[in-house]
């Protein structure tokens, strides 16, 4: 498809389990972002990839959270030993390299993966 | 520390009238600002942006105003349409940093 694709759209898991969330960005977009949105709040930055490397992971809340983008396209957000407080909508976004076509910082978001930790 | 604030969680407007959504920020290093619209079960979609070197940007029915001295921006929608009913997020970015800081959103309801 033409947009950012995220799977699964919904994930229910039990406390302590391991979870992976996948993001397939828009073709040709070099930058990829993960955000987390809790109920009643705006999206909060988690991590940003430029190509294969994590250029900024300052938003990851703790070492239970990890993300990879091994080939510079698809990314996986991994959460270990999930806690109830991890329940949220996890949003992925992509953008072209700054300076090409768009230079206003616009991000293209997917529909998100809703994670519920019981 | 909320660097981007949207103090009105909700706003109702009659169809055809003007909708004004407000946003305040505290970090003077922000140099560009964006508005996103979000429908239920969808990701946020970009609406309009403004650089800190401007005080106004217009795109059809949507105009964003920036008051740097007051650290305030607003989104005007004229005329409002029922299809504009959605959650609107204000977001800010700075320099070469690629992360955006979002406000908590305002639910706009346009009544027919």
């Amino acid at each position: 498809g033409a947009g950012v694709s995220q799977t699964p759209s919904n994930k229910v898991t039990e406390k302590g389990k391991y979870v992976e969330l996948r993001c397939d960005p828009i073709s040709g977009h070099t930058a990829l972002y993960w955000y987390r949105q809790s109920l009643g709040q705006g999206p909060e930055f988690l991590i940003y990839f430029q190509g294969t490397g994590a250029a900024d992971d300052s938003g990851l809340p703790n070492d239970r959270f990890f993300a990879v983008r091994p080939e510079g396209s698809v990314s996986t957000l991994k959460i270990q030993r999930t806690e109830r407080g991890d329940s949220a909508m996890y949003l992925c976004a992509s953008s072209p390299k700054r300076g090409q076509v768009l230079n206003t910082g616009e991000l293209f978001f997917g529909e998100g993966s809703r994670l519920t930790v019981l | 520390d909320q660097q981007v604030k949207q103090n009105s969680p909700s706003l109702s407007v009659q169809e055809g009238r003007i909708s004004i959504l407000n946003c305040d920020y505290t970090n003077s290093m922000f140099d560009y600002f964006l508005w996103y619209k979000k429908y239920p079960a969808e990701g946020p979609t970009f609406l309009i942006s403004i650089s800190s070197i401007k005080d106004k940007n217009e795109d059809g029915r949507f105009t964003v105003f920036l008051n740097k001295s007051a650290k305030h921006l607003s989104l005007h929608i004229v005329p409002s349409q029922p299809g504009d009913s959605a959650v609107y997020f204000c977001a800010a970015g700075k320099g070469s940093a690629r992360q955006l800081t979002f406000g908590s959103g305002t639910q706009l309801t346009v009544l027919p």
Side-chain angles (χ1 to χ4, degrees):
Chain A
V4 176
S5 175
Q6 291 189 246
T7 55
S9 54
N10 274 289
K11 176 70 177 178
V12 180
T13 191
E14 294 179 343
K15 181 175 178 294
K17 299 289 187 182
Y18 170 79
V19 164
E20 287 190 353
L21 306 175
R22 175 189 166 108
C23 173
D24 199 341
I26 292 172
S27 177
H29 281 191
T30 58
L32 184 146
Y33 308 75
W34 284 98
Y35 281 78
R36 177 169 72 173
Q37 185 179 11
S38 300
L39 199 61
Q41 301 297 316
E44 292 179 291
F45 171 79
L46 294 177
I47 187 170
Y48 152 59
F49 288 89
Q50 184 61 49
T52 60
D56 183 353
D57 64 358
S58 60
L60 294 177
N62 51 61
D63 61 7
R64 295 187 298 105
F65 288 74
F66 189 71
V68 295
R69 195 187 185 198
E71 297 178 359
S73 178
V74 171
S75 176
T76 305
L77 178 65
K78 308 181 180 195
I79 310 173
Q80 297 178 319
R81 304 182 304 280
T82 51
E83 299 178 356
R84 292 193 179 87
D86 298 336
S87 296
M89 176 72 81
Y90 288 82
L91 293 165
C92 178
S94 68
S95 71
K97 181 178 178 181
R98 188 177 180 90
Q100 293 176 354
V101 182
L102 295 166
N103 58 9
T104 56
E106 177 185 347
L107 305 182
F108 296 82
F109 282 90
E111 295 184 354
S113 293
R114 180 167 295 285
L115 175 66
T116 303
V117 182
L118 301 176
Chain B
D1 175 28
Q2 248 189 315
Q3 297 189 58
V4 178
K5 299 179 184 179
Q6 293 177 258
N7 292 318
S8 297
S10 63
L11 174 69
S12 289
V13 171
Q14 207 68 38
E15 181 180 5
R17 306 295 291 267
I18 184 172
S19 295
I20 300 176
L21 297 103
N22 294 302
C23 178
D24 297 293
Y25 62 96
T26 57
N27 190 337
S28 57
M29 298 298 290
F30 288 138
D31 57 5
Y32 57 92
F33 304 88
L34 306 91
W35 285 93
Y36 281 81
K37 180 169 72 173
K38 185 182 183 305
Y39 293 117
E42 294 184 10
T45 56
F46 171 75
L47 196 56
I48 192 169
S49 65
I50 188 166
S51 164
S52 61
I53 63 173
K54 295 186 174 181
D55 56 16
K56 176 182 174 182
N57 189 25
E58 192 171 353
D59 183 2
R61 296 186 297 114
F62 302 92
T63 303
V64 56
F65 295 92
L66 175 63
N67 182 335
K68 285 182 64 179
S69 61
K71 293 191 179 67
H72 176 84
L73 65 155
S74 60
L75 175 68
H76 293 210
I77 307 174
V78 181
S80 301
Q81 299 173 354
D84 296 330
S85 297
V87 177
Y88 289 78
F89 291 101
C90 167
K94 52 187 175 183
S96 60
R98 297 305 301 274
Q99 58 167 289
L100 295 179
T101 302
F102 283 81
S104 56
T106 297
Q107 170 70 58
L108 173 67
T109 302
V110 179
L111 304 168

